[in-house]
């Protein structure tokens, strides 16, 4: 499959998986075991219109083609690792207590039983700024001005749901006084 043709298929398929719009400038790599997406952005979901969830200069996805066949095309189950390089990941909590973090994937259809995620790979962060914004706050009253916190991750890894030690984390925060 030529890389340009893959890009045309990849963007709408990823948008279906995430429930967010997806834009990729370029797709490269060995298509049998992995792809590299340059200039990738995940943004604008129905619950978070106009918000950007993730942007990265490069995202590398490595997968096992045998597992892809054995799992009947379940791409998430076949992924070994996702490496996000030189990017920004936004975690937003709205005044209505909705979190982007908990809405990365769309909910199951009404009346269906939620299935456990099939993704078992690692997520690697290389030079990624994680930006947290809390518009609601933890008190009884909604904040007048949102709280925000930035954490720069030089080299970090999420394995399953556990965050493992990063080699370097720099923090900058801005919050209402």
């Amino acid at each position: 499959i030529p890389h340009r043709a893959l890009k045309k298929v990849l963007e709408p398929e990823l948008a279906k998986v995430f429930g967010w719009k997806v834009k990729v400038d370029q797709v490269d790599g060995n298509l049998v075991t992995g792809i590299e997406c340059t200039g990738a952005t995940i943004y604008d979901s129905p619950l978070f219109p106009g918000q950007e969830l993730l942007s990265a200069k490069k995202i590398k996805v490595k997968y096992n083609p045998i597992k892809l066949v054995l799992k009947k095309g379940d791409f998430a189950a076949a992924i070994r690792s996702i490496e996000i390089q030189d990017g920004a990941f936004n975690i937003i909590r709205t005044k209505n207590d909705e979190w982007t973090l908990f809405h990365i994937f769309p909910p199951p259809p009404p009346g269906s039983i939620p299935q456990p995620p099939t993704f078992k790979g690692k997520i690697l962060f290389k030079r990624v700024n994680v930006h947290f914004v809390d518009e609601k706050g933890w008190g009884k009253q909604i904040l007048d001005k949102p709280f925000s916190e930035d954490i720069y991750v030089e080299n970090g890894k999420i394995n399953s749901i556990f965050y493992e030690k990063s080699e370097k984390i720099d923090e900058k925060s801005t919050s209402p006084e």
Side-chain angles (χ1 to χ4, degrees):
I1 300 173
H3 291 94
R4 280 189 227 163
L6 178 61
K7 179 185 172 310
K8 287 181 183 179
V9 172
L10 187 65
E11 289 175 329
E13 287 300 315
L14 287 175
K16 281 186 217 171
V17 168
F18 290 113
W20 294 70
K21 291 181 182 174
V22 176
K23 179 183 169 288
V24 176
D25 292 339
Q26 185 176 334
V27 178
D28 292 306
N30 172 352
L31 301 180
V32 175
T33 59
I35 58 172
E36 292 183 13
C37 299
T38 304
T41 307
I42 300 173
Y43 64 103
D44 196 25
S45 78
L47 195 56
F48 300 95
Q51 296 290 341
E52 184 178 280
L53 177 66
L54 173 74
S55 64
K57 286 186 181 177
K58 188 170 283 193
I59 298 177
K60 295 180 179 181
V61 180
K62 294 181 182 176
Y63 47 87
N64 181 332
I66 295 169
K67 208 174 218 185
L68 185 62
V69 172
L70 293 174
K71 296 290 184 176
K72 299 179 177 139
D74 184 351
F75 190 67
I79 294 174
R80 292 186 354 239
S81 67
I82 299 171
E83 184 177 306
I84 301 165
Q85 295 179 2
D86 302 308
F89 181 64
N90 296 302
I91 301 172
I92 300 166
R93 179 184 185 208
T94 68
K95 290 179 181 180
N96 297 328
D97 203 24
E98 298 289 349
W99 295 70
T100 55
L101 185 64
F102 303 129
H103 293 280
I104 293 174
F105 300 101
S112 67
I113 298 170
Q115 299 296 314
T118 58
F119 174 72
K120 305 285 188 221
K122 297 175 186 174
I123 301 175
L124 308 162
F125 293 95
K126 304 239 178 184
R127 300 170 304 279
V128 175
N129 187 58
V130 179
H131 182 64
F132 171 67
V133 175
D134 186 354
E135 297 173 351
K136 183 177 180 188
W138 297 100
K140 292 182 181 181
Q141 290 188 328
I142 300 217
L143 297 174
D144 293 330
K145 182 180 176 187
F147 168 84
S148 68
E149 180 82 22
D150 287 317
I151 299 172
Y152 179 75
V153 181
E154 180 69 28
N155 191 11
K157 176 171 63 171
I158 297 174
N159 191 1
S160 184
I161 61 169
F162 302 103
Y163 182 79
E164 294 184 8
K165 183 181 175 189
S166 292
E167 291 175 16
K168 179 181 178 186
I169 295 179
D170 296 329
E171 293 185 36
K172 296 179 191 170
S173 67
T174 56
S175 60
E177 305 284 331

